Amino acid sequence: MAETAEKTAEVKPKDGLLSKKNRKLLIDPLDGNNPITVQVLGICSALAVTVQLEPALFMAAGVTIVTACSNVVISMLRNSIPSRIRIIVQLAIVSLWVILVDQILQAFFYDVSKKLSTYVGLIITNCIVMGRLEAYAMANKPWPSFLDGLGNGFGYGLILVIVAFFRELFGSGSLFGYKVFAAAGIPYMGNGLLMLPAGACIIVGIIIWVQRALNGYSEDH
Amino acid sequence: MQQSNGYVITYTVILTLVCAIALALASLGLKPFQDANKELEKKQNILATVMTIKNREEVKDIYKKRVKSYVIDFNGKMLEGKVAEDIDVVAEYKKKAQERQLPIYEILSEDGSKSEYFVLPVYGFGLWNDIWGFVALKGDLNTINGVKFEHKGETPGLGARIATDEIQVRYKDKKIFEGENLASVIMAKGELGGGDASVEAFKGKDHEIDGMSGATITGKGLTAMLKDYLGCYEKFIKAKKAKS
């Protein structure tokens, strides 16, 4: 009795909402398959919007929402999309979500939307979004696609926040606009290099180096 | 799988329609919020030329309490029935100077008894695109209390610096009249050090401020914008000065 019960239990939940396979979709892009540091996608915006933490967080949220929602829609349509125009269909869906995010930011987070300026619109060109649609959503069910989108958004956001943390802290001596060094009584002159995109490039490089030293990833294999 | 052309075309049409309708609805629904933000930002910019705004919440109250706004024409005549906040400065900028409707935002003192500052909108063209802002004159209608500039597409790090405090603070305490002549304030070419050094270097000069290195044409645009718009307000200012 016990044995048969166990067997059916084993077969039945082959794909729970957060089964091992699905959890992997969420967690993998954070480290082992990170879109920025491993796949080296989405670098442009990672350099542009990471001068301060706040816009970086909103950008991360924006990309996550767009990737996840576009993944779901494309996944639902995947069997009906004519293969000859699939890239255009994907673009249309991505643009739809990007414009929605942009409009909502303008309505409720005006300051942030001004800081992000054109970069919200440029989420459309972020290779991560299109990459996930082509590589995953076109061939998988909506729920796993949603998780895949979330995971990749988080992986992107994680790097963005790390870069922004160092840039804001050492570039302007503050975190979320709060003057950390001044509050601690330490005189600190901001590092001008970190305020420039070049500084972000260096930080991204260091992150990639540290990550690969830790997990032994190499392009060769 | 190869679909027929009819299927592809129908698919495209339906997709386009669905996306367009969704976006149109979102735009309609969100427009009131976006407009409210823009209006608040304008009020904040007006007030920022004369005081430090700590948070956005207080802008509405202060504006309501201390700003008296009205519209004049080129000859300094009050235009009755016009609301300064509703004047589209961009549309007015495109007209000839003599035909423009000119809003004025008068900032009253804390107790509301006298007018402390006069804030004038200005609009012009930089290197790549439009530049605009507000100039606040002190009660003597001659000394600049502060300016606030914005731009649409000046080069980051060069012309875009006009939107920063570092450049704007250079206008403080400059004079726009030299005797009876409208001399305006001219931005020099080249830059003497930037930051405080730039303010210090032009301290004795009433009508000139330090330039922006690498952004001479944006600087010329600023100079032309001030000259153009202060010229529009000249008759009003002179009449007002003669009265007091």
Side-chain angles (χ1 to χ4, degrees):
Chain A
M1 274 289 277
E3 251 187 70
T4 46
E6 242 179 58
K7 257 185 189 164
T8 46
E10 238 178 55
V11 180
K12 232 183 169 182
K14 63 170 190 256
D15 239 3
L17 281 188
L18 282 174
S19 65
K20 207 172 173 193
K21 205 175 106 205
N22 283 346
R23 273 206 308 275
K24 208 164 139 30
L25 287 175
L26 261 181
I27 292 162
D28 240 21
L30 294 186
D31 179 24
N33 204 11
N34 189 287
I36 295 187
T37 60
V38 178
Q39 299 171 18
V40 199
L41 297 175
I43 293 286
C44 170
S45 56
L47 306 188
V49 298
T50 49
V51 177
Q52 289 168 319
L53 268 169
E54 198 192 0
L57 269 181
F58 274 90
M59 186 69 183
V63 170
T64 308
I65 292 169
V66 170
T67 319
C69 295
S70 309
N71 259 4
V72 171
V73 176
I74 289 295
S75 170
M76 288 194 297
L77 298 175
R78 70 184 186 282
N79 294 325
S80 71
I81 295 176
S83 54
R84 276 180 293 169
I85 58 161
R86 67 177 197 288
I87 299 285
I88 293 176
V89 173
Q90 289 167 11
L91 261 182
I93 301 294
V94 175
S95 329
L96 175 76
W97 285 107
V98 169
I99 297 172
L100 280 180
V101 166
D102 190 25
Q103 295 280 322
I104 290 169
L105 280 179
Q106 277 183 32
F108 301 110
F109 303 96
Y110 190 67
D111 291 323
V112 179
S113 109
K114 276 194 79 176
K115 271 187 208 156
L116 291 173
S117 66
T118 50
Y119 289 101
V120 179
L122 287 177
I123 294 178
I124 296 174
T125 63
N126 193 320
C127 322
I128 298 171
V129 184
M130 288 289 285
R132 291 333 291 167
L133 292 179
E134 263 297 274
Y136 200 89
M138 284 299 283
N140 287 282
K141 292 206 176 94
W143 175 246
S145 299
F146 178 70
L147 292 179
D148 179 79
L150 272 191
N152 277 281
F154 288 153
Y156 169 83
L158 181 71
I159 303 298
L160 232 62
V161 169
I162 295 175
V163 175
F165 175 83
F166 286 113
R167 283 184 80 184
E168 191 177 353
L169 184 63
F170 296 113
S172 43
S174 59
L175 288 174
F176 286 108
Y178 179 76
K179 297 273 174 204
V180 182
F181 285 106
I186 308 166
Y188 181 77
M189 175 130 173
N191 182 331
L193 176 64
L194 288 178
M195 303 297 283
L196 301 172
C201 209
I202 292 171
I203 294 180
V204 171
I206 293 175
I207 293 174
I208 294 180
W209 176 34
V210 170
Q211 191 194 18
R212 290 184 183 187
L214 287 178
N215 67 11
Y217 174 87
S218 133
E219 293 284 347
D220 299 335
H221 57 242
Chain B
M1 181 173 52
Q2 190 77 278
Q3 285 93 350
S4 71
N5 284 346
Y7 179 80
V8 172
I9 291 168
T10 321
Y11 198 91
T12 323
V13 170
I14 294 175
L15 180 81
T16 315
L17 275 179
V18 171
C19 288
I21 291 170
L23 287 180
L25 286 180
S27 173
L28 266 181
L30 293 171
K31 196 151 194 320
F33 297 100
Q34 292 166 356
D35 287 348
N37 282 333
K38 283 193 188 116
E39 200 192 313
L40 196 61
E41 190 198 20
K42 187 173 155 191
K43 290 180 175 175
Q44 187 181 6
N45 282 341
I46 292 172
L47 291 178
T49 56
V50 298
M51 61 182 89
T52 324
I53 302 289
K54 277 182 224 80
N55 65 58
R56 216 160 235 202
E57 308 307 311
E58 61 182 15
V59 169
K60 248 186 203 159
D61 287 338
I62 300 179
Y63 192 89
K64 207 170 162 192
K65 211 176 104 194
R66 294 188 55 188
V67 177
K68 194 176 102 186
S69 59
Y70 43 86
V71 185
I72 58 157
D73 65 7
F74 187 79
N75 294 315
K77 216 172 89 236
M78 197 84 79
L79 294 173
E80 301 294 338
K82 298 271 182 194
V83 182
E85 284 79 5
D86 293 345
I87 298 283
D88 180 4
V89 181
V90 190
E92 299 300 319
Y93 165 68
K94 287 176 184 145
K95 295 181 191 167
K96 271 193 227 133
Q98 287 79 5
E99 290 163 11
R100 286 179 191 153
Q101 299 179 349
L102 306 158
I104 293 184
Y105 305 93
E106 204 174 314
I107 317 263
L108 307 173
S109 57
E110 202 72 68
D111 55 14
S113 61
K114 60 177 190 344
S115 44
E116 261 184 313
Y117 306 102
F118 294 85
V119 181
L120 316 174
V122 292
Y123 206 98
F125 197 85
L127 170 60
W128 302 114
N129 214 321
D130 293 359
I131 54 176
W132 63 94
F134 294 99
V135 174
L137 300 176
K138 286 188 177 161
D140 63 359
L141 282 161
N142 185 17
T143 315
I144 292 179
N145 181 73
V147 296
K148 186 95 192 156
F149 295 133
E150 300 231 30
H151 67 92
K152 200 168 188 176
E154 299 308 298
T155 319
L158 299 174
R161 289 171 66 205
I162 62 167
T164 62
D165 280 344
E166 191 205 351
I167 302 297
Q168 291 168 8
V169 79
R170 294 179 188 174
Y171 282 90
K172 195 170 166 55
D173 294 330
K174 297 290 170 190
K175 308 264 193 274
I176 60 168
F177 282 102
E178 195 171 17
E180 279 299 295
N181 287 332
L182 181 71
S184 185
V185 179
I186 290 155
M187 182 173 261
K189 189 174 152 84
E191 189 159 9
L192 301 171
D196 293 339
S198 289
V199 176
E200 202 58 40
F202 282 77
K203 203 151 201 180
K205 297 174 180 166
D206 276 347
H207 305 288
E208 203 177 357
I209 63 159
D210 201 8
M212 297 179 292
S213 184
T216 307
I217 298 179
T218 308
K220 278 185 183 159
L222 272 185
T223 304
M225 170 170 82
L226 287 184
K227 184 109 192 150
D228 178 22
Y229 266 83
L230 291 174
C232 290
Y233 287 99
E234 187 179 359
K235 285 190 176 157
F236 166 82
I237 293 174
K238 282 193 169 154
K240 195 103 181 165
K241 274 170 113 178
K243 236 192 267 171
S244 60

